Amino acid sequence: MDDRTHSASTQAGPSVAPKLEIIQGENAGESFKLKLKTTIGRERDNDVTLLDLKASRYHATITLEGGQWLLQDLGSVNGTILNDVALTTPTPLQSGDQITIGETILAFRTPTPSSAEPLAAASPATPSTAGRSVAAPLPQSQAQGSTSKPPRLAWIAGGVILLACFIAVFAIFLVATRISNNSSEAQSPTDDIAPLQGQDNNDTSPEPDNGEPSETTQTATIPAELSLVYEDDFSDSFGGWDDAFDTYTRKVYGNNRYQIEVTTSNLVAWGLANRDVADFEIEVEARQEDGDSAASYGLLFRFQDRENFYRFDVSGDGFFLLSKFIKGQWVTLVDWTESEFINPGSNGNLLKVTAFGPSISIWANGQQLAAVTDDSLDHGNFGLFVGTFAEPYTWVSYDNLKLWTPPDQEITLIPTATRPSASSQALPPTATATSPPPTATPEAQEEPAEATPTEETVEPTPTPALPTATPEPLPEYVSRDQTLARGEEEITGRIVFPIYDPERGTFDIYIADIADGNNLQLIQPNASQPGLSLDGTEFAYRSWQPDRRGLFARPLNGDDIDAWGFDSFFESARPQYSPIDNSLMYFSRSGGETPATYRVIDAVGQVMRREGFPIQGKSPKWAPNGQQFVYSSCLGSDCGIILSNIDGSAPVQLTNHPSDTNPEVSPDGETLVFMSERGGNWEIYRAGMDGSNITALTSDPASDGLPTWSPDSSEIAFLSNRDGEWALWTMDPDGTNKRRQFVLPGPVDGIVQHDIANSFGWLEENIDWIP
């Protein structure tokens, strides 16, 4: 027997325990016997478990105290309503009382021998009434009149009249049913809207599967008759749309709607009907419940796999977009356009797509928004999606999805894995339904301690600290491949980066377009730690080739014949070009275990000194003025990031954590970024050039590191193993608008197997962003 229906104690004879009946909401029709203490909420360990996104995990309790049943709110987010009054203190219950939790209404009923207080069945509620109406009492005159008995003749006459009415009603019902059936087979629900007859869009031409424009234009005539072949009002939580959640998203049935929520920036999540169809008309009611108004939601169609589909977006502030994702590349069919026909915010929109052959049109609230002709995909799955852009949160619900096809077409069920049982579904412990989950608290501001430079610096023992364990990959229904937001421009330039080959046990250096990883090119095998000149014409690197070890430099478009070696020690690492005169700086452990900084003068590497002593430190980077540099080291016993003149004078300690490393100054000279394990995980931080306002820019269980600036200081690029794969990411200088640009062709962390003693993994690597 279900635990939720047990009484708190064993009883003889009929139970006298009160019941809770759910009369509106996802659980409508269920009833529960009360225990001495009954808990109500969204978590599965409650006595009454609600499938309601607006219910808190542990929302309310009903307890028996002093012979009274008391209802108490447990500090829930949305509160508990008793007979239209919000609870503030424990309140006694009476039979017939209605309790509103989120969008669920429960009736408290105490059994009586005569059942003197019947409760009216709740009808679907409007937002204003929320379904909290109960049966109205009879007027007093009717109640009194009902006690007298009518004469027998009146009974007979009444019976004849009633029988005649019944026969007439039944005849009308048969005729109406036949008319309704014929109509539903022959017509779309939008008969007042003329279907699009092969209309072309002057700005768009048909495109084949490769995403290139087609040379010929194809059109298809929409059939005059369409048949309703699929519909779902999402009242059945086993209707085939999965309940699922992961770190950043969740999709669940709730309140007789299908809900999708995204809790991080530049991410899209979808649910699919798992049915293949070619030509169709589809519509769905969609409502943005919460989140950024610029976020998008809508319909996916002709979905063949996660790299090939069409997408119809609308935003909460009244814009729409039509695009396609073909072989992993976005193509815009209709760019973001404002429309007066799209309702803003939570007012909701009726969205529709028609697709017959290459003719595609999109609609909102009965009005056509755009029409195009495109033949890239001619069939596929269909579904619903929600996506974010710069802001990290949005939540959208869907209802009343319907799909029509020509009578001669079939809709094919796509086999899917068996859906888990309801008992195995659970919301994440920290999930809330009414507001975005709390974001990670940035690292507290740290003021650098005043440090007096000394002749002797203490370098912490170098350790090849590796990234944290690789996070789990994203589920199949979630993607980082997101369209550009309204007004957003694709970033430009090229990025140079190392890749570790586990099979060979060494690194190679690649270059690619930073926006999407296209034009990927191997520019130096058996090498890593790349450094490029400011204009991207010169290229320095650390060679791991056994017969050609050391530091080398050459033109980027050259090859090994053009390369010259400026340091042949195995222990030398991470060369960097000056932005002023292309002179080189690097660090080396050739003088011992503690690294020291070097500068190439007259083609010879010379140790940099301060007051006659070597400047000890690693991972140096030039400041934009070419007269200063930043590096990871210690002044006395305080370790962190140091800013110094190139002659070694005027050192300033900017940060004070020993794991702070790989610093880089923005091209405008105003901001420092670096990576650090100060919070227990590798993250990226920023600070002012005086060491003030140290702030965490990333906060993720994955490893984030190797930050570099865009040439115009407007973006920061970094590497991360989020989602279970190494990728190139970008973000705004304040840490917002994080976007995965492309997945790397391999990991960036590893130990060179033929030189384990001098290989320190990704922490001594480097990436550079050039125009």
Side-chain angles (χ1 to χ4, degrees):
M1 184 180 293
D2 191 337
D3 293 340
R4 298 174 298 183
T5 60
H6 276 204
S7 174
S9 59
T10 303
Q11 301 178 6
S15 170
V16 295
K19 291 183 179 180
L20 281 180
E21 293 183 1
I22 300 181
I23 59 175
Q24 180 174 300
E26 178 69 19
N27 305 71
E30 296 183 17
S31 64
F32 305 84
K33 291 182 181 178
L34 296 186
K35 301 179 181 179
L36 296 179
K37 180 177 181 180
T38 301
T39 60
I40 308 169
R42 212 175 61 231
E43 283 289 349
R44 287 189 297 168
D45 58 353
N46 286 286
D47 300 301
V48 179
T49 302
L50 302 180
L51 298 176
D52 189 327
L53 292 175
K54 293 186 178 180
S56 294
R57 295 170 59 211
Y58 300 98
H59 197 104
T61 61
I62 298 177
T63 56
L64 181 62
E65 297 182 13
Q68 289 185 315
W69 293 95
L70 300 180
L71 174 65
Q72 180 177 4
D73 183 78
L74 297 178
S76 63
V77 174
N78 289 319
T80 302
I81 309 298
L82 177 61
N83 299 327
D84 297 325
V85 177
L87 283 186
T88 57
T89 59
T91 303
L93 292 171
Q94 296 181 357
S95 186
D97 282 349
Q98 292 192 4
I99 303 165
T100 302
I101 293 178
E103 296 186 5
T104 302
I105 299 179
L106 308 94
F108 175 81
R109 300 193 63 185
T110 301
T112 60
S114 59
S115 299
E117 298 184 25
L119 183 68
S123 58
T126 63
S128 60
T129 63
R132 289 189 289 270
S133 60
V134 295
L138 292 172
Q140 185 175 3
S141 60
Q142 293 183 21
Q144 291 173 347
S146 64
T147 59
S148 61
K149 296 183 179 181
R152 178 176 299 179
L153 184 60
W155 277 108
I156 296 173
V160 172
I161 294 172
L162 181 61
L163 179 61
C165 291
F166 174 81
I167 294 172
V169 170
F170 183 73
I172 294 172
F173 171 77
L174 290 178
V175 173
T177 301
R178 178 170 300 178
I179 294 174
S180 176
N181 289 341
N182 293 337
S183 175
S184 65
E185 292 177 0
Q187 297 181 358
S188 163
T190 53
D191 293 304
D192 58 324
I193 301 172
L196 181 65
Q197 297 293 332
Q199 179 177 346
D200 293 333
N201 185 307
N202 293 331
D203 297 329
T204 311
S205 58
E207 300 185 22
D209 288 348
N210 60 8
E212 297 298 327
S214 172
E215 296 181 358
T216 61
T217 300
Q218 303 178 35
T219 61
T221 301
I222 300 178
E225 295 184 359
L226 297 175
S227 299
L228 180 64
V229 296
Y230 178 84
E231 63 180 323
D232 198 335
D233 63 2
F234 304 111
S235 60
D236 179 5
S237 60
F238 285 84
W241 299 74
D242 285 341
D243 286 359
F245 63 84
D246 64 278
T247 305
Y248 308 107
T249 69
R250 64 174 175 167
K251 49 179 184 174
V252 296
Y253 285 86
N255 305 320
N256 293 315
R257 300 176 72 88
Y258 191 61
Q259 321 268 351
I260 305 179
E261 187 178 29
V262 179
T263 60
T264 192
S265 59
N266 286 302
L267 190 75
V268 61
W270 60 78
L272 297 173
N274 296 317
R275 287 164 171 82
D276 188 278
V277 63
D279 295 342
F280 62 88
E281 179 175 299
I282 186 173
E283 71 175 25
V284 69
E285 298 171 14
R287 183 174 70 206
Q288 185 177 28
E289 304 286 357
D290 197 2
D292 178 38
S293 62
S296 71
Y297 58 93
L299 288 159
L300 297 176
F301 57 100
R302 290 181 174 170
F303 185 104
Q304 296 185 355
D305 55 50
R306 58 188 297 122
E307 292 193 343
N308 294 279
F309 54 83
Y310 291 101
R311 192 170 117 175
F312 169 33
D313 296 54
V314 297
S315 66
D317 53 1
F319 288 76
F320 69 89
L321 170 77
L322 178 61
S323 58
K324 63 180 179 179
F325 199 50
I326 302 296
K327 295 183 179 180
Q329 298 293 321
W330 284 109
V331 179
T332 298
L333 299 176
V334 180
D335 206 353
W336 285 107
T337 306
E338 189 172 15
S339 173
E340 61 180 319
F341 304 120
I342 299 175
N343 296 324
S346 61
N347 293 331
N349 291 283
L350 178 64
L351 305 180
K352 184 174 81 170
V353 171
T354 67
F356 295 91
S359 298
I360 299 171
S361 64
I362 54 177
W363 306 66
N365 303 310
Q367 298 293 327
Q368 181 176 297
L369 303 177
V372 301
T373 303
D374 187 89
D375 61 359
S376 297
L377 304 170
D378 58 7
H379 73 96
N381 208 338
F382 59 91
L384 313 167
F385 78 90
V386 171
T388 56
F389 296 111
E391 295 299 319
Y393 181 76
T394 191
W395 164 26
V396 176
S397 67
Y398 294 92
D399 200 5
N400 296 324
L401 185 145
K402 299 178 181 179
L403 182 135
W404 296 263
T405 66
D408 60 343
Q409 288 208 9
E410 295 182 353
I411 180 170
T412 305
L413 186 65
I414 300 174
T416 57
T418 303
R419 182 180 184 272
S421 64
S423 61
S424 67
Q425 300 296 324
L427 294 173
T430 58
T432 61
T434 58
S435 60
T439 56
T441 304
E443 183 74 13
Q445 176 178 333
E446 299 182 22
E447 297 294 337
E450 293 292 333
T452 302
T454 62
E455 293 185 356
E456 181 180 359
T457 61
V458 179
E459 175 71 18
T461 302
T463 56
L466 301 180
T468 55
T470 302
E472 289 294 321
L474 291 175
E476 282 298 310
Y477 62 87
V478 176
S479 179
R480 299 283 187 184
D481 293 313
Q482 176 64 304
T483 61
L484 293 177
R486 187 169 66 255
E488 182 183 6
E489 295 183 358
E490 189 173 86
I491 60 175
T492 60
R494 308 202 76 195
I495 193 84
V496 61
F497 53 90
I499 292 295
Y500 181 75
D501 184 343
E503 292 186 4
R504 293 163 46 231
T506 190
F507 285 88
D508 301 305
I509 299 174
Y510 291 82
I511 192 169
D513 296 343
I514 192 168
D516 50 20
N518 286 343
N519 299 313
L520 179 69
Q521 179 185 357
L522 172 65
I523 58 175
Q524 189 64 49
N526 300 304
S528 69
Q529 302 172 9
L532 270 65
S533 61
L534 186 63
D535 61 4
T537 61
E538 299 296 320
F539 170 48
Y541 57 93
R542 180 179 186 173
S543 173
W544 296 102
Q545 187 173 326
D547 59 350
R548 190 179 171 83
R549 294 295 302 277
L551 303 182
F552 290 82
R554 64 169 173 84
L556 179 61
N557 294 326
D559 52 34
D560 282 349
I561 298 176
D562 305 313
W564 61 282
F566 54 90
D567 191 304
S568 60
F569 285 99
F570 290 4
E571 299 88 352
S572 299
R574 212 168 179 269
Q576 299 293 312
Y577 280 100
S578 165
I580 302 301
D581 58 9
N582 277 0
S583 60
L584 287 157
M585 180 184 296
Y586 59 98
F587 76 95
S588 179
R589 297 183 177 90
S590 57
E593 189 173 297
T594 301
T597 57
Y598 286 74
R599 184 182 177 195
V600 177
I601 301 176
D602 297 329
V604 178
Q606 299 182 17
V607 68
M608 302 175 71
R609 297 180 180 273
R610 178 180 300 126
E611 298 179 358
F613 294 91
I615 298 177
Q616 296 176 341
K618 61 182 180 180
S619 302
K621 270 284 181 90
W622 293 89
N625 59 19
Q627 302 302 309
Q628 295 175 301
F629 70 103
V630 288
Y631 60 106
S632 178
S633 187
C634 303
L635 290 178
S637 60
D638 293 326
C639 300
I641 305 300
I642 311 297
L643 172 68
S644 173
N645 293 330
I646 58 173
D647 62 3
S649 63
V652 177
Q653 184 164 346
L654 302 181
T655 71
N656 57 1
H657 194 278
S659 68
D660 298 346
T661 188
N662 290 338
E664 183 164 325
V665 181
S666 59
D668 60 16
E670 296 182 356
T671 308
L672 172 77
V673 292
F674 59 96
M675 60 185 288
S676 177
E677 210 176 18
R678 58 174 56 208
N681 187 48
W682 287 111
E683 306 289 357
I684 297 171
Y685 296 78
R686 62 172 287 171
M689 289 309 297
D690 59 355
S692 62
N693 299 321
I694 296 177
T695 305
L697 298 182
T698 64
S699 178
D700 193 274
S703 295
D704 300 326
L706 303 185
T708 191
W709 288 92
S710 63
D712 62 358
S713 302
S714 65
E715 295 281 334
I716 298 169
F718 63 98
L719 301 185
S720 176
N721 64 348
R722 302 182 189 201
D723 309 333
E725 53 191 357
W726 284 99
L728 189 283
W729 289 67
T730 58
M731 60 181 168
D732 293 344
D734 61 358
T736 60
N737 196 21
K738 295 180 180 68
R739 177 185 283 272
R740 191 190 74 181
Q741 299 297 336
F742 64 92
V743 176
L744 299 177
V748 297
D749 183 57
I751 302 298
V752 176
Q753 293 303 301
H754 63 264
D755 194 358
I756 295 176
N758 293 304
S759 180
F760 290 85
W762 80 311
L763 295 185
E764 294 188 357
E765 289 302 324
N766 185 65
I767 64 173
D768 269 345
W769 187 340
I770 59 173

